[in-house]
Amino acid sequence: MRLTAADVDDVWLPSAPWGTRGYNRMQVNAFLRRIAATLDGQDHVTAADVGAVAFTLHPTGRRGGYDPGAVDAFLCVVERALAIRERHGHGRDAPRPERDGAHDRPWRRITA
């Protein structure tokens, strides 16, 4: 099985837990649209781009935003899939990587 644009389009990301600040939904959604477009051959987001992306946090005192842990976990899967795809010459048949937890660094995507 491989990661497809439909997989990215259909991903469900939970809201941040009560009392915590989540990632800005508009920024995350825009980046996910770019990833889907890349998988369809319409854009060029690389694994390095996914690894370096940072999102602002939802404003203090207002509930909302995506759960940072869920977003980071999904982006780890995307990052690995794009890395495999890049190693295989951007082929659309790259397998869907299994998440191994080796890249769990939730702090890397948080900006104030």
Side-chain angles (χ1 to χ4, degrees), residues 11-111:
V11 71
W12 177 81
L13 297 169
S15 295
W18 184 261
T20 62
R21 294 171 66 193
Y23 288 152
N24 181 298
R25 288 178 185 265
M26 289 181 9
Q27 292 173 358
V28 173
N29 291 341
F31 193 66
L32 291 178
R33 281 191 300 272
R34 287 198 60 211
I35 292 168
T38 296
L39 293 170
D40 274 342
Q42 305 295 319
D43 201 340
H44 187 69
V45 174
T46 66
D49 295 335
V50 175
V53 71
F55 306 109
T56 59
L57 294 174
H58 196 75
T60 304
R62 294 174 61 192
R63 190 165 195 302
Y66 288 127
D67 178 11
V71 173
D72 290 343
F74 182 68
L75 290 180
C76 283
V77 171
V78 170
E79 184 177 7
R80 289 188 64 203
L82 289 177
I84 291 168
R85 188 174 184 258
E86 290 164 11
R87 280 196 301 269
H88 291 99
H90 300 279
R92 290 181 186 232
D93 294 328
R96 179 190 305 245
E98 296 299 321
R99 186 166 179 270
D100 63 5
H103 296 98
D104 288 340
R105 298 174 296 199
W107 61 87
R108 72 181 180 164
R109 298 190 201 290
I110 298 175
T111 61

Side-chain angles (χ1 to χ4, degrees), residues 3-10 35-37 39-40:
L3 183 69
T4 66
D7 295 329
V8 175
D9 288 337
D10 293 341
I35 292 168
L39 293 170
D40 274 342

